[in-house]
Amino acid sequence: MVGINFMKSCISVDIGGSSVKIGIFCPSPHFHSQKIMEIPHPDSWSEFPEYLLSSIYPMEIEQIAVSCAGDIDSVSGVVRRSTVTRWHNYSLGLELDLLIKPSRKTVVINDADAHLMGNRNGPGPLICIALGTSLGFSVANQNGDLARSAEGFNLDVGDLKLNTKATVKEAWWALGLPGLQELISLKGVTRGPIHFGHRLGSLILRLQADTKYKGIPVVLSGGVITAYPSHILYGCLREIDDAELMDNIKVTLSPYPKAAALVGAMRAAGYEMMGNCLSA
């Protein structure tokens, strides 16, 4: 039981590779957070709706918004495939609606898209690279519309092979938490994250060589960024500067990298943040 007392709450949920984050938001008069908590993965993902309910009971819920890694049909709230939860064509939105009965239909979106929406604070295109247990990637166009593959899926660059000495060459591992941990074990807590930043910079340079992404600003988000923000950004910018492209590529850090997906999921549900929406 969370111990929050107001008429109705909005619940934002971020299903990550190592834990589940829950943001409890008050929708009025100014949309802001009342509590942000982190809970372990459930023993069984098939019982996730019940697990979530036990974490927020007995609040009356206006809205639930969920971000989850994987291929998400945000229109129907169906998780088509998720490597974290092992769900396959799972109607997460419907299951939450039936069990918890929020006032409004539950919204479910891809976690990288949620990070992007949480970090997008104005017009124009934007690339978001979300670095956590794995690597997430999302792109918004000039109008804020999220880019999709020809099949309608979320964009994914995790399978790209990097020119690296990492044990696993694919970006999802080399630029996820396992890749960072490997570098820290080899190079220490200072040089390891800086080297990780160089690795990230090489991916950004590779993306910027594609005409679809050239010149689009990049924001870095996620728990890995939270752990070593200055070291990773330093290595990333050094890599880009060495390629003499610093003037053409803008890379910034998320102001709230671990909570951006919580904010973005609520924005996807139609809510806008007011002021310091993440003050506990």
Side-chain angles (χ1 to χ4, degrees):
M1 186 183 299
V2 295
I4 304 296
N5 294 305
F6 38 75
M7 188 64 69
K8 283 193 176 182
S9 302
C10 293
I11 305 299
S12 185
V13 182
D14 178 24
I15 301 174
S18 58
S19 66
V20 177
K21 298 182 185 68
I22 302 174
I24 303 168
F25 294 89
C26 174
S28 62
H30 298 295
F31 196 89
H32 62 282
S33 73
Q34 293 295 300
K35 186 179 183 69
I36 294 177
M37 56 186 178
E38 192 165 355
I39 60 176
H41 285 166
D43 294 333
S44 171
W45 284 107
S46 64
E47 299 175 358
F48 178 74
E50 292 81 4
Y51 181 65
L52 178 62
L53 177 61
S54 69
S55 300
I56 61 178
Y57 182 81
M59 290 187 298
E60 188 175 356
I61 307 301
E62 175 175 305
Q63 176 76 65
I64 302 172
V66 183
S67 75
C68 179
D71 295 329
I72 311 296
D73 185 339
S74 57
V75 175
S76 65
V78 171
V79 180
R80 292 184 284 210
R81 180 180 61 86
S82 173
T83 55
V84 173
T85 63
R86 304 297 179 185
W87 288 329
H88 179 70
N89 290 328
Y90 179 60
S91 299
L92 176 60
L94 177 61
E95 293 293 334
L96 292 173
D97 286 340
L98 291 173
L99 180 66
I100 301 177
K101 298 179 174 62
S103 301
R104 302 177 63 195
K105 180 181 177 181
T106 294
V107 170
V108 184
I109 66 170
N110 170 266
D111 61 339
D113 290 345
H115 273 275
L116 185 144
M117 295 182 72
N119 285 296
R120 195 171 189 274
N121 293 307
L126 182 67
I127 291 172
C128 180
I129 298 177
L131 302 172
T133 305
S134 186
L135 175 144
F137 179 73
S138 182
V139 182
N141 65 16
Q142 183 70 32
N143 299 321
D145 298 323
L146 298 174
R148 291 288 179 263
S149 69
E151 297 79 19
F153 293 157
N154 318 103
L155 296 184
D156 185 7
V157 297
D159 289 337
L160 288 179
K161 287 190 175 182
L162 306 180
N163 182 17
T164 174
K165 294 180 179 179
T167 299
V168 179
K169 311 298 182 186
E170 285 82 3
W172 70 267
W173 194 96
L175 286 172
L177 182 59
L180 174 62
Q181 290 174 332
E182 181 179 63
L183 282 171
I184 290 174
S185 69
L186 293 172
K187 298 178 178 293
V189 295
T190 297
R191 293 179 58 215
I194 291 175
H195 189 104
F196 183 89
H198 277 275
R199 187 181 290 175
L200 176 59
S202 70
L203 173 67
I204 293 173
L205 288 171
R206 185 169 172 180
L207 292 172
Q208 293 283 328
D210 189 323
T211 55
K212 295 194 300 291
Y213 308 127
K214 188 174 183 179
I216 299 179
V218 178
V219 61
L220 306 177
S221 192
V224 163
I225 294 297
T226 302
Y228 300 95
S230 58
H231 295 77
I232 293 174
L233 183 62
Y234 173 78
C236 178
L237 295 180
R238 281 291 305 271
E239 184 72 18
I240 294 171
D241 188 43
D242 289 346
E244 299 183 351
L245 290 173
M246 186 65 78
D247 294 337
N248 302 320
I249 303 174
K250 180 182 179 182
V251 181
T252 58
L253 297 177
S254 168
Y256 34 77
K258 287 191 74 173
L262 297 175
V263 176
M266 291 310 307
R267 283 180 168 169
Y271 294 85
E272 189 47 67
M273 303 297 145
M274 302 287 291
N276 184 8
C277 62
L278 294 177
S279 59

